[in-house]
Amino acid sequence: MSPSPSADQPPVAARSAYTERLDLPWWLWLAGLVAAALLAVEIWMGASGVRAWLPFAVLVPLTAVGLWWLGRIRVGVTDAELRVDDARLPVRFVADVVPLDVAGRREVLGVGADPLAFVVQRPWIGGAVQVVLDDPADPTPFWVVSTRHPVELAEAVLTARDALAATHPTAGEPG
């Protein structure tokens, strides 16, 4: 009897159900680069020598790198986890996911916000999701993650959680 074909193959990488990059809108790039150029002109102010070109050679590229860094965060859902930048949340610990609009995000992150919550918030993105956790070993009550598509992200997390629970009935039990 020969082994099944799947026994010889390495496991397939986790399938991505949702991915998004929280990059900056074009108008923030424009405003940032214009501000850097104006600051470089202020430093230059008609001087000669190194002061003529150094502010432009330093400030504009540094601003571009800073703007890229602000928009580097990636949000994704795979078969088994929610990924937000370097943070990973196994979907088996997800109790519920609530899509939030601007007002809902403001309420969740407002004056009465829980200081133990995990928050990745980008002010230029209106929507967010609140991922309520069910893990007795973790003091974090919920995650709040900015997203341009809160309903789609919520559906992807809940679908991954339900699929994991269907294939691994004990995976839904925290522990």
Side-chain angles (χ1 to χ4, degrees):
M1 181 167 127
S2 65
S4 67
S6 62
D8 297 333
Q9 297 175 358
V12 178
R15 184 176 50 89
S16 180
Y18 179 89
T19 57
E20 176 182 10
R21 183 169 172 201
L22 304 180
D23 51 356
L24 276 75
W26 66 270
W27 55 270
L28 274 177
W29 277 92
L30 180 64
L33 293 174
V34 165
L38 286 174
L39 183 59
V41 166
E42 287 292 325
I43 294 171
W44 166 61
M45 293 296 287
S48 61
V50 173
R51 275 190 51 200
W53 60 268
L54 188 62
F56 296 98
V58 172
L59 290 175
V60 174
L62 278 178
T63 301
V65 167
L67 291 170
W68 171 84
W69 183 80
L70 284 173
R72 81 192 185 292
I73 301 292
R74 290 189 184 278
V75 176
V77 178
T78 63
D79 292 336
E81 64 187 8
L82 168 64
R83 297 178 179 195
V84 181
D85 197 21
D86 293 336
R88 309 254 188 283
L89 174 65
V91 293
R92 71 177 183 263
F93 296 121
V94 173
D96 195 16
V97 183
V98 180
L100 303 171
D101 59 0
V102 176
R105 185 188 67 178
R106 187 178 14 227
E107 183 178 331
V108 168
L109 298 176
V111 176
D114 193 321
L116 296 177
F118 175 79
V119 178
V120 175
Q121 191 259 127
R122 295 294 181 251
W124 55 87
I125 298 176
V129 293
Q130 180 183 22
V131 182
V132 181
L133 305 183
D134 182 23
D135 183 6
D138 188 359
T140 306
F142 57 85
W143 285 24
V144 177
V145 180
S146 288
T147 176
R148 289 186 175 86
H149 310 286
V151 174
E152 289 87 348
L153 178 56
E155 288 174 353
V157 171
L158 292 174
T159 301
R161 180 200 63 187
D162 295 343
L164 183 68
T167 58
H168 301 89
T170 59
E173 298 173 6

